Amino acid sequence: MYTFPEFHRVVYITSSLPKEQATLSHYQTDPSNPKQSVWFIVFGQKILLTSNGDLPSALPGAISDDKLEPMVLGELQGRSCHMVVLEQDTAFAQAEMVDLRSLAERLPAEQFAMAGKACQWETFLNNHRFCGRCGARMRQVQWELAMHCDHCKHRCYPRLSPCIIVAVRRDRQILLAQNKRHKSGVYSVVAGFIEPGETVEQAVHRELAEEVGIAVTGLTYRASQPWPFPHALMMAFTADYLAGDLVLEQKEISDAGWYAITEREVWPPLPDDYTVARQLIEQLIADIEQND
């Protein structure tokens, strides 16, 4: 039987250093132990990679401004992870800034998850420079992931957008749909945001009814995956078709259909392997084959 990969092997430390310790010199790598750290240098949802395609184990020489505030991201395979958000686009010798989606194909899953966290933190910092309540400038809290307004005492935490994603089977067929936001030609499973006042299960049934016009039964939770584009949390399910003809929501779905697992050679392109959408499809195929 197909089993989901481990999405959560990263140990997170949700704090930054005390202000008096938050200097870049504190983080310089010990030359005798160059693998003790991993650095996530972030700007514009891009992460710095060395010429070898690796994350740097020390701060590049081009970064020397102690006004930058390093953050402790967590621990990865025994190595401490830190990040710095650059204030402007910077050119580095023998290195490149790589966008987050491209990193998914170039980094191991655990490193990509941490890179996603770094980019979500950058988004949060950029979107909360000023208080949404009174307009005063906010400051970064040093002992938790938060921004605080000293004027009105309003405190903000990183936003997460909970989403459902569901793969549906009908006999030996799987429902695949092309969302108008998908890159050209890719078909996936149905997904959507959870609305206020709604349970996760209610969101699954509503999204299927709204987007493709069907009802399901046998809803089974499978896995979750952080999805940092920009700050979603995907909760993944499989389900069995119950009733309804395919009626597409024209604003979101451009095409949908039932695809037999015995005809995979003629299926349209599927999501990338690292996505929970692809894992759901593979899980459902394995379930169908096991029950034959």
Side-chain angles (χ1 to χ4, degrees):
M1 175 183 292
Y2 180 87
T3 57
F4 280 89
E6 291 285 346
F7 285 123
H8 303 293
R9 287 176 285 184
V10 179
V11 178
Y12 291 135
I13 304 171
T14 54
S15 64
S16 58
L17 285 181
K19 186 68 175 180
E20 61 272 12
Q21 298 183 36
T23 61
L24 296 182
S25 59
H26 177 89
Y27 290 94
Q28 295 294 351
T29 300
D30 180 355
S32 65
N33 185 16
K35 294 297 184 181
Q36 68 180 5
S37 298
V38 181
W39 277 91
F40 294 83
I41 313 300
V42 189
F43 180 79
Q45 299 294 284
K46 295 182 178 181
I47 301 283
L48 184 72
L49 292 185
T50 68
S51 57
N52 294 326
D54 299 323
L55 293 163
S57 57
L59 282 169
I63 300 178
S64 59
D65 188 352
D66 280 356
K67 293 180 181 179
L68 297 176
E69 294 192 31
M71 286 291 301
V72 178
L73 278 178
E75 184 178 298
L76 186 62
Q77 297 177 334
R79 301 169 66 187
S80 57
C81 298
H82 316 287
M83 70 170 287
V84 164
V85 178
L86 301 179
E87 295 181 346
Q88 60 185 9
D89 199 1
T90 305
F92 296 91
Q94 298 182 328
E96 62 174 328
M97 299 296 291
V98 180
D99 70 87
L100 189 57
R101 286 191 182 273
S102 297
L103 285 177
E105 301 175 356
R106 299 176 63 172
L107 293 178
E110 298 91 339
Q111 292 186 5
F112 172 69
M114 194 70 83
K117 182 182 182 182
C119 286
Q120 288 182 77
W121 179 243
E122 180 202 26
T123 297
F124 174 68
L125 291 176
N126 288 338
N127 291 345
H128 292 82
R129 296 180 184 275
F130 297 92
C131 180
R133 178 183 292 170
C134 72
R137 180 172 286 276
M138 303 189 83
R139 63 175 174 84
Q140 182 178 327
V141 178
Q142 296 303 314
W143 56 274
E144 63 178 345
L145 299 181
M147 295 290 282
H148 184 78
C149 176
D150 291 320
H151 182 261
C152 72
K153 311 305 179 186
H154 180 51
R155 181 165 295 192
C156 296
Y157 296 89
R159 173 184 173 184
L160 287 177
S161 300
C163 304
I164 59 87
I165 183 166
V166 55
V168 182
R169 64 184 170 195
R170 186 181 69 176
D171 298 326
R172 293 176 55 80
Q173 298 175 317
I174 294 177
L175 176 65
L176 297 176
Q178 185 180 50
N179 193 290
K180 292 185 176 181
R181 295 190 300 271
H182 287 172
K183 62 183 180 181
S184 179
V186 171
Y187 280 58
S188 186
V189 293
V190 173
F193 291 101
I194 300 173
E195 295 184 351
E198 194 172 48
T199 68
V200 176
E201 294 80 6
Q202 288 170 339
V204 172
H205 293 290
R206 175 185 54 76
E207 285 289 343
L208 286 169
E210 289 179 354
E211 295 197 359
V212 291
I214 66 170
V216 296
T217 187
L219 193 63
T220 303
Y221 174 77
R222 296 292 189 172
S224 64
Q225 182 182 32
W227 192 243
F229 302 105
H231 38 58
L233 175 62
M234 309 298 295
M235 285 165 277
F237 295 83
T238 56
D240 296 310
Y241 168 82
L242 179 62
D245 297 324
L246 292 180
V247 179
L248 308 188
E249 209 294 312
Q250 297 298 320
K251 293 182 180 179
E252 294 193 39
I253 306 297
S254 56
D255 189 29
W258 296 101
Y259 290 82
I261 67 168
T262 56
E263 301 174 356
R264 288 194 67 178
E265 67 277 2
V266 296
W267 282 18
L270 298 178
D272 292 324
D273 290 342
Y274 68 87
T275 65
V276 73
R278 181 60 175 270
Q279 310 303 334
L280 278 176
I281 293 169
E282 299 298 338
Q283 177 70 69
L284 212 49
I285 291 172
D287 289 349
I288 294 171
E289 291 176 340
Q290 185 185 39
N291 292 330
D292 282 350

